[in-house]
């Protein structure tokens, strides 16, 4: 853990500059992070220790730390403390193209990998039956994984596909769309809904962000050329890592 005197020179907090104390503290901590005095993965000293050292209230410290968490520079881990986040670059995703995560990252020159959370054939849930148009006795192939770009966790993807098009879920190793294409079932059209959300505890831990951080919840229903639904995917993206971009034209 960093020594307080090396990351928080008191003259920076007690100087004659204007502005609330929490702003000065936030600026000092941000400077320590960006300069490397506080390094990626390093634990921030306890808030009570910072308050005692700087002779300020814990409320002031909490407000400064909260802002750095919201900015993605710090992450709180339940039961462990507050740590310096791994920096992540913003990814711009156009809304006009139907592509897979693997294809998106490759187009940007980023390496990709996945950590599987669930993969297999299952009896469909009532929601899957309705959205995929499944009848009694049908099976669904589920693919849940943490998606990483250049080793930064960016999204959690939970996809459900008609088992008739993906009878062996273990055959999917990288791109789901590439695997569907081999079965002649790559979707050509999709309806996508995007909404803002706050990331819950379990997903926040997977994504390396604090519980309650801003996220983007995305539901995609994809169709074959025949108009038949082939895929239902619900994804959760880090709000600090993704921008979705749409081009608009008149008329």
């Amino acid at each position: 853990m960093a020594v307080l005197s090396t990351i928080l020179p008191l003259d920076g907090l007690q100087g004659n500059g204007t502005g609330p104390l929490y702003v000065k503290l936030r600026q000092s901590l941000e400077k320590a992070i960006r300069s490397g005095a506080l390094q990626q993965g390093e634990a921030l000293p306890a808030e009570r220790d910072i308050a005692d050292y700087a002779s300020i209230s814990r409320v002031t410290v909490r407000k400064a730390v909260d802002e750095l968490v919201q900015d993605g520079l710090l992450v709180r881990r339940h039961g462990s403390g507050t740590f310096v986040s791994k920096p992540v670059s913003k990814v711009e995703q156009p809304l006009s193209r139907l592509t897979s995560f693997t294809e998106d990252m490759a187009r940007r020159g980023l390496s990709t990998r996945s950590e599987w959370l669930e993969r297999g054939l299952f009896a469909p849930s009532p929601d899957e039956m309705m959205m995929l148009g499944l009848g009694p006795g049908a099976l669904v192939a589920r693919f849940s994984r943490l998606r990483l770009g250049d080793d930064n966790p960016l999204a959690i993807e939970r996809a459900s596909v008609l088992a008739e098009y993906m009878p062996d879920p273990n055959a999917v190793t990288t791109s789901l769309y590439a695997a569907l294409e081999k079965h002649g079932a790559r979707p050509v059209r999709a309806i996508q809904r995007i909404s803002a959300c706050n990331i819950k505890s379990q997903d926040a831990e997977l994504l390396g962000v604090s519980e309650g951080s801003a996220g983007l919840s995305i539901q995609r229903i994809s169709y074959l050329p025949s108009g038949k639904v082939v895929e239902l995917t619900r994804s959760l993206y880090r709000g600090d890592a993704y921008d979705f971009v749409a081009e608009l034209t008149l008329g």
Side-chain angles (χ1 to χ4, degrees), residues 24-154:
K24 294 181 181 180
L25 177 59
R26 177 179 59 76
Q27 291 171 341
S28 294
L29 288 172
E30 182 174 352
K31 182 177 179 181
I33 293 170
R34 297 196 184 280
S35 69
L38 272 171
Q39 298 185 356
Q40 173 192 323
E42 189 171 0
L44 188 72
E47 292 178 6
R48 63 176 177 276
D49 293 339
I50 296 175
D52 291 344
Y53 166 77
S55 299
I56 55 180
S57 72
R58 290 184 65 178
V59 172
T60 297
V61 177
R62 172 56 62 96
K63 188 168 179 61
V65 171
D66 282 346
E67 289 200 355
L68 291 171
V69 169
Q70 292 170 8
D71 290 343
L73 294 175
L74 295 175
V75 58
R76 287 195 177 97
R77 296 175 186 161
H78 183 69
S80 299
T82 304
F83 298 83
V84 179
S85 299
K86 183 176 182 178
V88 59
S89 300
K90 278 270 190 180
V91 174
E92 284 195 358
Q93 169 62 39
L95 292 175
S96 57
R97 299 182 62 184
L98 181 54
T99 56
S100 69
F101 179 89
T102 304
E103 292 166 338
D104 291 338
M105 296 300 105
R107 196 167 62 248
R108 290 167 176 79
L110 301 179
S111 63
T112 63
R113 67 180 180 89
S114 299
E115 294 179 5
W116 287 102
L117 307 175
E118 180 183 57
R119 177 171 44 170
L121 293 175
F122 300 89
S125 67
D127 192 41
E128 287 170 329
M129 290 186 71
M130 180 181 68
M131 303 290 277
L132 293 171
L134 299 175
L139 292 175
V140 66
R142 289 189 195 140
F143 306 92
S144 298
R145 49 187 165 172
L146 177 67
R147 309 305 302 261
L148 300 98
D150 279 357
D151 278 333
N152 289 310
L154 298 179

